[in-house]
Amino acid sequence: MGALAALAAVVLLAAGGYAFARLVRLAPTARDVLPFLSGGSPAEHAVSRFHVRWYPITMVFLAFDMEMVFMYPWTLVVKEVGTTAVVEMFAFLAVLFAGVWYARREGVFRWT
């Protein structure tokens, strides 16, 4: 009897979810309206592909983003840890700089 009550509760919960979704969904006309783009029509589909030249730039940005993720906590403990923390951060920055220098050498920043 307990399993039957649990099954009924699950069915009622699922039906209630569907009913609630049907109540709060957008009207059919609201889905057909194009997005506002400064008064103009969109030139391409929203899921269009980006040019391949943007991906290396993105990787360089992520490298600097990771730098900030590690530098903010470092600033909180550098006074307590001392010289070791400063040396480790300069080593970390040297590795990042080597990566950016390699990316520049490979032509990541050239747009032609």
Side-chain angles (χ1 to χ4, degrees):
M1 194 62 163
L4 188 59
L7 181 64
V10 167
V11 168
L12 284 174
L13 187 64
Y18 277 112
F20 180 73
R22 189 166 176 91
L23 286 173
V24 298
R25 72 178 179 181
L26 293 174
T29 57
R31 287 183 296 199
D32 297 334
V33 176
L34 289 175
F36 182 74
L37 185 64
S38 299
S41 297
E44 57 198 23
H45 193 271
V47 194
S48 63
R49 295 179 182 208
F50 292 105
H51 195 278
V52 72
R53 70 178 175 215
W54 289 105
Y55 292 103
I57 295 291
T58 304
M59 291 298 124
V60 171
F61 169 75
L62 287 176
F64 283 107
D65 197 30
M66 286 296 105
E67 174 190 0
M68 288 298 112
V69 165
F70 288 115
M71 282 185 90
Y72 285 139
W74 173 79
T75 59
L76 298 175
V77 297
V78 68
K79 189 174 182 180
E80 298 168 7
V81 176
T83 309
T84 308
V86 175
V87 170
E88 288 176 355
M89 183 51 68
F90 276 108
F92 177 68
L93 291 175
V95 170
L96 281 178
F97 182 73
V100 170
W101 189 259
Y102 173 76
R104 182 182 176 275
R105 192 182 75 189
E106 291 296 315
V108 169
F109 302 114
R110 276 186 261 140
W111 289 96
T112 56

